[in-house]
Amino acid sequence: SRSDSVQLSMNPPTISLPVSKTGSPSEHIAKARCRISCPVQSSKPTAFSIQFNDAKIDNPLFEIKPSFSQPLTIVNAKLKVESPGWEDTWYKDMGGRDKAMLAVASLCDKDGRIITDRKVPLHLTLRYDNEERSPVTKQDIFRMVGSSFHYIDPETGKASLQFRIEDVSKNHQGQNFIVEIGADKERSPDVA
């Protein structure tokens, strides 16, 4: 096959489902493991849906409707975020106004090896630690320490991010905060 084509392999290659003896319609669920191999360009998102069809059974009693998977985004790299020295509770006023939390983001390949030679812009969002991971409305309480531009350093494959949260959980119905660190999707759509 050509190097720019998409290849899909499935295990098992064929899915067999039981048939109702009464001839009445019934629903069955099957699971399959798929492996997708395709080239991914860093300049544009690569997404697919997988369509499952019948095996062209020539029997008027059976109708198998095609089904589609949820969209799958194919990526070249992922961010690994570590928070060295964090405790479960952080007190914003202990240690003075210069006290900040540190997170280190690394750009990694599928095997967890650090990728260098790519400058990946990062986007940070303060969210609540709830089921919806809803963003905090007043993002101005989230303050970055140091540079206002954050990106993966192409020489090291890492970014050190220091920040403060200038409010306390009790002023937000007691909800804990979390920080979402991700690649800028418009400029690096191939990074998860």
Side-chain angles (χ1 to χ4, degrees), residues 39-164:
V40 178
Q41 295 179 3
S42 61
S43 60
K44 61 182 177 181
T46 304
F48 298 99
S49 286
I50 300 172
Q51 178 181 3
F52 295 92
N53 299 341
D54 64 7
K56 305 298 179 206
I57 299 172
D58 194 18
N59 187 328
L61 295 176
F62 301 108
E63 179 186 8
I64 300 176
K65 295 181 180 176
S67 60
F68 292 88
S69 71
Q70 294 291 326
L72 309 164
T73 301
I74 309 299
V75 297
N76 281 321
K78 60 186 173 185
L79 290 177
K80 177 181 175 186
V81 179
E82 297 173 300
S83 49
W86 279 25
E87 297 177 17
D88 290 343
T89 304
W90 189 79
Y91 298 94
K92 76 175 189 76
D93 292 329
M94 277 187 148
R97 304 234 0 119
D98 293 332
K99 181 182 176 189
M101 291 180 273
L102 171 68
V104 178
S106 303
L107 185 65
C108 299
D109 67 11
K110 66 181 177 69
D111 298 318
R113 294 181 301 241
I114 291 181
I115 299 171
T116 55
D117 298 328
R118 279 197 67 186
K119 184 175 180 176
V120 176
L122 300 175
H123 181 73
L124 286 80
T125 306
L126 184 63
R127 296 183 176 274
Y128 292 116
D129 189 10
N130 57 24
E131 197 171 297
E132 299 82 30
R133 300 281 196 236
S134 26
V136 173
T137 307
K138 296 177 84 180
Q139 288 289 313
D140 60 337
I141 67 169
F142 182 60
R143 182 172 66 86
M144 297 302 298
V145 176
S147 173
S148 59
F149 299 104
H150 307 287
Y151 58 87
I152 296 291
D153 184 336
E155 291 183 21
T156 64
K158 295 183 176 190
S160 291
L161 308 162
Q162 286 190 304
F163 50 86
R164 287 181 53 87

